[in-house]
Amino acid sequence: MADVSTKNPARVCRIEDLFAVDGSPPPELTEALTAYLSAFAAPVRRDGEMRCLCCDEPINGLRAALGIGVACRWALTHGEAACSGCGWPARGMHYVTDADGRKVATLRNVFLAYHPDQVVRAPAVEAEHA
């Protein structure tokens, strides 16, 4: 993958980043979620706000609508999105399947930024964000 930089350090998203896990979930569920989430970075939260992994701006739909902030903007491909400020890619609709292809979980309107290992930027775009 291309070397892409973000203002926040990125680590792979884990189940605990999204859910409070009580007890012992079925192993097939945790295996499927762990594999699925490996493409995404852990959400960045600071000062009570979600922040863009790349540009570090607070993600807030109301502020973005008023022209003073950023939000996750839906893309043309179903479920895909990007930061309205810097364009860092994210996904907002998640359909998690197990190894046999059976759906085990659906997450809607949960915006997860792609981990930098999954992102390739064109040289001109990378130069603009350096």
Side-chain angles (χ1 to χ4, degrees), residues 21-87:
V21 180
D22 292 334
S24 299
E28 55 275 2
L29 176 61
T30 57
E31 289 169 11
L33 281 169
T34 299
Y36 181 83
L37 293 174
S38 68
F40 302 99
V44 177
R45 296 179 182 99
R46 192 170 51 260
D47 302 327
E49 295 182 301
M50 293 290 295
R51 293 185 169 266
C52 174
L53 175 69
C54 183
C55 67
D56 196 43
E57 290 294 318
I59 297 173
N60 183 301
L62 178 59
R63 284 190 210 162
L66 296 172
I68 56 172
V70 302
C72 287
R73 178 178 51 216
W74 290 109
L76 292 176
T77 305
H78 176 75
E80 298 299 312
C83 172
S84 65
C86 68

Side-chain angles (χ1 to χ4, degrees), residues 1-7 53-55 86-89 115-130:
M1 294 290 154
D3 180 36
V4 294
S5 60
T6 60
K7 288 190 178 179
L53 175 69
C54 183
C55 67
C86 68
W88 190 265
H115 191 279
D117 290 348
Q118 305 296 320
V119 176
V120 176
R121 285 198 184 203
V125 173
E126 186 66 27
E128 289 175 15
H129 294 281

Side-chain angles (χ1 to χ4, degrees), residues 78-102:
H78 176 75
E80 298 299 312
C83 172
S84 65
C86 68
W88 190 265
R91 182 177 291 171
M93 302 293 280
H94 308 271
Y95 305 99
V96 184
T97 57
D98 64 13
D100 295 326
R102 291 185 302 258

